[in-house]
Amino acid sequence: MHPIIVIGSNHHNTFSMVKSFGCAGHVVDVILFGCSSSYIEKSKYVRRITYIPSPSDIIDALSQVESSEKPIIVSCSDVVSQITDAHYDELKERFWFFHCGKQNALTPFMDKNYQTRQAGECGMNVPFTAIYAKGVEVESYPCLLKPLESINGGKHIEICHNESELTEKAAVFSPDTTVLVQSYIQKKSEIVVVGLSLGKEIIIPGYIYKIRESSGGTTYSRVMRLQRLDVRLVERCKRLVTKMNYTGLFGIEFIEDDKGDYYFIEINLRNDATTYSLVKAGVNLPVMYAEYCSGSETVQQPSEIDELYSIVDFKDLENAIHQNVSIWQWLREYRNAQCKYYKDKNDPKPYRVCLKSFVKSHLLHKLRIKKWIFLSKRTIVLCWWHPSF
């Protein structure tokens, strides 16, 4: 297999790609932006890690790569996909990467307004969507406000119940951020259809049923077999990806309303963080993409997946800390989750580093600020004199 370069931020999305290749017997190179150290470097599946200050340094970092074979880039962030798209002509002879067939063809699909129109043309249910401007006519209230592009505004979302609230909350966004207004859908559930496009062939082995989130990302979910989903929705997903002429990993998000209808929310043209759940369920899409890039005549076709629960250990634990779920329920769910993003007996060092960091940043910090704990007097004295205090 050709060399693999995973590019992203210091996030479990990036780490999950390292593990996806590692559990299949491959080591990878990693380029991380926005940090100078990371628990990811402790993984035995990392051959080399490069730290860069910001995404704008990605092209410089790639120019330093030397390889006799064409390396495979796996994007774990919207901004990575946008940068490789902007440099498509420069990179296409030296690297494999996610793309839409020509330079600057992928970036327009990161525009949520444009995405929504394309999804509607492919037969999907879509919410009322418009660019926010003063005096915009909203179809109905409540409505949502969110950035037009994730690369510029992240996952910031506001709910508005009337016109004055709409004006007030629109002002919260940065003046440089184009804001989208959408009709609010009463959510029964939320899913992610995760897949891989190999050009003419689009593989969708299953989907993710979201149960809990933290900081805008899915942290507790269930992997579901594709047979549970309406075949027409699956075909419309494939139609949308084909319309984009996209090659690479992707994730399409939908909200199910109280009538059982699914509404398109967005498509991520990169590795979706939930992809690793499918890996643990029996279908390794990242490795299939690498096999395709490496010229394999037969890409391993997915077998029927296992339905299982998946949890992003430390991120979801914040839900228990903030009392969104009881600690006893969380412990039961953690114990029963067959997919854990950090804890791994075959690669234990990253988990240990994260556990130590979590205890220091959450538990010990809470002890120092609130001064209430149920520990022995001796333990309290030791904690008080610990250097971290």
PDB file of all heavy atoms in Angstrom, residues 41-58:
ATOM      1  N   GLU A  41       0.783  11.385  18.956  1.00  0.00           N
ATOM      2  CA  GLU A  41       2.150  10.949  18.658  1.00  0.00           C
ATOM      3  C   GLU A  41       2.550   9.724  19.478  1.00  0.00           C
ATOM      4  O   GLU A  41       3.523   9.039  19.156  1.00  0.00           O
ATOM      5  CB  GLU A  41       3.137  12.086  18.905  1.00  0.00           C
ATOM      6  CG  GLU A  41       3.365  12.436  20.350  1.00  0.00           C
ATOM      7  CD  GLU A  41       4.364  13.565  20.531  1.00  0.00           C
ATOM      8  OE1 GLU A  41       4.586  14.342  19.578  1.00  0.00           O
ATOM      9  OE2 GLU A  41       4.932  13.667  21.638  1.00  0.00           O
ATOM     10  N   LYS A  42       1.793   9.420  20.547  1.00  0.00           N
ATOM     11  CA  LYS A  42       2.091   8.253  21.383  1.00  0.00           C
ATOM     12  C   LYS A  42       1.583   6.949  20.770  1.00  0.00           C
ATOM     13  O   LYS A  42       1.922   5.865  21.244  1.00  0.00           O
ATOM     14  CB  LYS A  42       1.467   8.431  22.771  1.00  0.00           C
ATOM     15  CG  LYS A  42       1.926   9.686  23.508  1.00  0.00           C
ATOM     16  CD  LYS A  42       3.411   9.666  23.782  1.00  0.00           C
ATOM     17  CE  LYS A  42       3.839  10.906  24.564  1.00  0.00           C
ATOM     18  NZ  LYS A  42       5.302  10.916  24.818  1.00  0.00           N
ATOM     19  N   SER A  43       0.769   7.056  19.733  1.00  0.00           N
ATOM     20  CA  SER A  43       0.220   5.848  19.120  1.00  0.00           C
ATOM     21  C   SER A  43       1.314   5.051  18.414  1.00  0.00           C
ATOM     22  O   SER A  43       2.160   5.613  17.708  1.00  0.00           O
ATOM     23  CB  SER A  43      -0.868   6.221  18.112  1.00  0.00           C
ATOM     24  OG  SER A  43      -1.297   5.073  17.405  1.00  0.00           O
ATOM     25  N   LYS A  44       1.260   3.759  18.574  1.00  0.00           N
ATOM     26  CA  LYS A  44       2.252   2.898  17.910  1.00  0.00           C
ATOM     27  C   LYS A  44       2.004   2.822  16.406  1.00  0.00           C
ATOM     28  O   LYS A  44       2.841   2.308  15.659  1.00  0.00           O
ATOM     29  CB  LYS A  44       2.230   1.496  18.522  1.00  0.00           C
ATOM     30  CG  LYS A  44       0.980   0.676  18.222  1.00  0.00           C
ATOM     31  CD  LYS A  44       1.093  -0.707  18.857  1.00  0.00           C
ATOM     32  CE  LYS A  44      -0.075  -1.603  18.478  1.00  0.00           C
ATOM     33  NZ  LYS A  44       0.031  -2.951  19.098  1.00  0.00           N
ATOM     34  N   TYR A  45       0.856   3.356  15.966  1.00  0.00           N
ATOM     35  CA  TYR A  45       0.531   3.341  14.541  1.00  0.00           C
ATOM     36  C   TYR A  45       1.052   4.576  13.810  1.00  0.00           C
ATOM     37  O   TYR A  45       0.866   4.694  12.597  1.00  0.00           O
ATOM     38  CB  TYR A  45      -0.979   3.249  14.351  1.00  0.00           C
ATOM     39  CG  TYR A  45      -1.623   2.085  15.056  1.00  0.00           C
ATOM     40  CD1 TYR A  45      -2.755   2.262  15.853  1.00  0.00           C
ATOM     41  CD2 TYR A  45      -1.108   0.798  14.941  1.00  0.00           C
ATOM     42  CE1 TYR A  45      -3.362   1.199  16.498  1.00  0.00           C
ATOM     43  CE2 TYR A  45      -1.699  -0.279  15.589  1.00  0.00           C
ATOM     44  CZ  TYR A  45      -2.832  -0.067  16.375  1.00  0.00           C
ATOM     45  OH  TYR A  45      -3.418  -1.122  17.018  1.00  0.00           O
ATOM     46  N   VAL A  46       1.683   5.495  14.524  1.00  0.00           N
ATOM     47  CA  VAL A  46       2.233   6.708  13.914  1.00  0.00           C
ATOM     48  C   VAL A  46       3.719   6.513  13.648  1.00  0.00           C
ATOM     49  O   VAL A  46       4.501   6.268  14.571  1.00  0.00           O
ATOM     50  CB  VAL A  46       2.009   7.939  14.824  1.00  0.00           C
ATOM     51  CG1 VAL A  46       2.731   9.159  14.260  1.00  0.00           C
ATOM     52  CG2 VAL A  46       0.520   8.227  14.969  1.00  0.00           C
ATOM     53  N   ARG A  47       4.101   6.628  12.397  1.00  0.00           N
ATOM     54  CA  ARG A  47       5.511   6.506  12.036  1.00  0.00           C
ATOM     55  C   ARG A  47       6.232   7.839  12.246  1.00  0.00           C
ATOM     56  O   ARG A  47       7.323   7.891  12.795  1.00  0.00           O
ATOM     57  CB  ARG A  47       5.645   6.071  10.574  1.00  0.00           C
ATOM     58  CG  ARG A  47       7.092   5.873  10.120  1.00  0.00           C
ATOM     59  CD  ARG A  47       7.182   5.400   8.693  1.00  0.00           C
ATOM     60  NE  ARG A  47       6.653   6.391   7.751  1.00  0.00           N
ATOM     61  CZ  ARG A  47       6.773   6.277   6.429  1.00  0.00           C
ATOM     62  NH1 ARG A  47       7.362   5.218   5.908  1.00  0.00           N
ATOM     63  NH2 ARG A  47       6.280   7.213   5.645  1.00  0.00           N
ATOM     64  N   ARG A  48       5.578   8.918  11.796  1.00  0.00           N
ATOM     65  CA  ARG A  48       6.185  10.247  11.894  1.00  0.00           C
ATOM     66  C   ARG A  48       5.073  11.275  12.057  1.00  0.00           C
ATOM     67  O   ARG A  48       4.022  11.166  11.434  1.00  0.00           O
ATOM     68  CB  ARG A  48       6.987  10.556  10.622  1.00  0.00           C
ATOM     69  CG  ARG A  48       7.702  11.896  10.637  1.00  0.00           C
ATOM     70  CD  ARG A  48       8.327  12.196   9.268  1.00  0.00           C
ATOM     71  NE  ARG A  48       9.255  11.161   8.822  1.00  0.00           N
ATOM     72  CZ  ARG A  48       9.009  10.317   7.829  1.00  0.00           C
ATOM     73  NH1 ARG A  48       7.855  10.396   7.157  1.00  0.00           N
ATOM     74  NH2 ARG A  48       9.898   9.401   7.481  1.00  0.00           N
ATOM     75  N   ILE A  49       5.297  12.272  12.913  1.00  0.00           N
ATOM     76  CA  ILE A  49       4.303  13.325  13.089  1.00  0.00           C
ATOM     77  C   ILE A  49       4.953  14.686  12.869  1.00  0.00           C
ATOM     78  O   ILE A  49       6.084  14.920  13.307  1.00  0.00           O
ATOM     79  CB  ILE A  49       3.636  13.248  14.478  1.00  0.00           C
ATOM     80  CG1 ILE A  49       2.410  14.174  14.560  1.00  0.00           C
ATOM     81  CG2 ILE A  49       4.610  13.544  15.591  1.00  0.00           C
ATOM     82  CD1 ILE A  49       1.480  13.846  15.720  1.00  0.00           C
ATOM     83  N   THR A  50       4.268  15.550  12.140  1.00  0.00           N
ATOM     84  CA  THR A  50       4.760  16.897  11.853  1.00  0.00           C
ATOM     85  C   THR A  50       3.763  17.906  12.401  1.00  0.00           C
ATOM     86  O   THR A  50       2.566  17.816  12.109  1.00  0.00           O
ATOM     87  CB  THR A  50       4.921  17.117  10.336  1.00  0.00           C
ATOM     88  OG1 THR A  50       5.828  16.136   9.814  1.00  0.00           O
ATOM     89  CG2 THR A  50       5.449  18.514  10.046  1.00  0.00           C
ATOM     90  N   TYR A  51       4.259  18.850  13.188  1.00  0.00           N
ATOM     91  CA  TYR A  51       3.402  19.898  13.741  1.00  0.00           C
ATOM     92  C   TYR A  51       3.588  21.181  12.947  1.00  0.00           C
ATOM     93  O   TYR A  51       4.717  21.589  12.671  1.00  0.00           O
ATOM     94  CB  TYR A  51       3.748  20.163  15.214  1.00  0.00           C
ATOM     95  CG  TYR A  51       3.482  18.983  16.123  1.00  0.00           C
ATOM     96  CD1 TYR A  51       4.523  18.152  16.547  1.00  0.00           C
ATOM     97  CD2 TYR A  51       2.191  18.705  16.566  1.00  0.00           C
ATOM     98  CE1 TYR A  51       4.278  17.067  17.378  1.00  0.00           C
ATOM     99  CE2 TYR A  51       1.944  17.621  17.403  1.00  0.00           C
ATOM    100  CZ  TYR A  51       2.983  16.811  17.811  1.00  0.00           C
ATOM    101  OH  TYR A  51       2.741  15.743  18.635  1.00  0.00           O
ATOM    102  N   ILE A  52       2.471  21.791  12.570  1.00  0.00           N
ATOM    103  CA  ILE A  52       2.532  23.065  11.848  1.00  0.00           C
ATOM    104  C   ILE A  52       1.620  24.066  12.552  1.00  0.00           C
ATOM    105  O   ILE A  52       0.615  23.677  13.166  1.00  0.00           O
ATOM    106  CB  ILE A  52       2.125  22.910  10.361  1.00  0.00           C
ATOM    107  CG1 ILE A  52       0.723  22.298  10.242  1.00  0.00           C
ATOM    108  CG2 ILE A  52       3.153  22.071   9.621  1.00  0.00           C
ATOM    109  CD1 ILE A  52       0.222  22.178   8.808  1.00  0.00           C
ATOM    110  N   PRO A  53       1.948  25.354  12.494  1.00  0.00           N
ATOM    111  CA  PRO A  53       1.161  26.354  13.231  1.00  0.00           C
ATOM    112  C   PRO A  53      -0.293  26.456  12.788  1.00  0.00           C
ATOM    113  O   PRO A  53      -1.192  26.595  13.616  1.00  0.00           O
ATOM    114  CB  PRO A  53       1.908  27.667  12.958  1.00  0.00           C
ATOM    115  CG  PRO A  53       3.286  27.256  12.565  1.00  0.00           C
ATOM    116  CD  PRO A  53       3.130  25.946  11.850  1.00  0.00           C
ATOM    117  N   SER A  54      -0.548  26.405  11.478  1.00  0.00           N
ATOM    118  CA  SER A  54      -1.905  26.615  10.990  1.00  0.00           C
ATOM    119  C   SER A  54      -2.125  25.869   9.676  1.00  0.00           C
ATOM    120  O   SER A  54      -1.159  25.415   9.037  1.00  0.00           O
ATOM    121  CB  SER A  54      -2.153  28.112  10.780  1.00  0.00           C
ATOM    122  OG  SER A  54      -1.449  28.570   9.640  1.00  0.00           O
ATOM    123  N   PRO A  55      -3.383  25.738   9.239  1.00  0.00           N
ATOM    124  CA  PRO A  55      -3.660  25.057   7.970  1.00  0.00           C
ATOM    125  C   PRO A  55      -2.960  25.693   6.770  1.00  0.00           C
ATOM    126  O   PRO A  55      -2.681  25.006   5.782  1.00  0.00           O
ATOM    127  CB  PRO A  55      -5.188  25.174   7.838  1.00  0.00           C
ATOM    128  CG  PRO A  55      -5.680  25.299   9.242  1.00  0.00           C
ATOM    129  CD  PRO A  55      -4.634  26.092   9.959  1.00  0.00           C
ATOM    130  N   SER A  56      -2.661  26.972   6.859  1.00  0.00           N
ATOM    131  CA  SER A  56      -1.997  27.646   5.735  1.00  0.00           C
ATOM    132  C   SER A  56      -0.601  27.081   5.478  1.00  0.00           C
ATOM    133  O   SER A  56      -0.013  27.332   4.423  1.00  0.00           O
ATOM    134  CB  SER A  56      -1.913  29.153   5.993  1.00  0.00           C
ATOM    135  OG  SER A  56      -1.149  29.418   7.164  1.00  0.00           O
ATOM    136  N   ASP A  57      -0.070  26.308   6.435  1.00  0.00           N
ATOM    137  CA  ASP A  57       1.265  25.708   6.280  1.00  0.00           C
ATOM    138  C   ASP A  57       1.215  24.297   5.702  1.00  0.00           C
ATOM    139  O   ASP A  57       2.257  23.642   5.571  1.00  0.00           O
ATOM    140  CB  ASP A  57       1.979  25.677   7.640  1.00  0.00           C
ATOM    141  CG  ASP A  57       2.167  27.064   8.228  1.00  0.00           C
ATOM    142  OD1 ASP A  57       2.904  27.859   7.622  1.00  0.00           O
ATOM    143  OD2 ASP A  57       1.567  27.364   9.283  1.00  0.00           O
ATOM    144  N   ILE A  58       0.018  23.799   5.372  1.00  0.00           N
ATOM    145  CA  ILE A  58      -0.112  22.423   4.893  1.00  0.00           C
ATOM    146  C   ILE A  58       0.656  22.195   3.599  1.00  0.00           C
ATOM    147  O   ILE A  58       1.381  21.197   3.455  1.00  0.00           O
ATOM    148  CB  ILE A  58      -1.603  22.057   4.703  1.00  0.00           C
ATOM    149  CG1 ILE A  58      -2.286  21.903   6.066  1.00  0.00           C
ATOM    150  CG2 ILE A  58      -1.751  20.776   3.883  1.00  0.00           C
ATOM    151  CD1 ILE A  58      -3.785  21.699   5.986  1.00  0.00           C
TER     152      ILE A  58
END
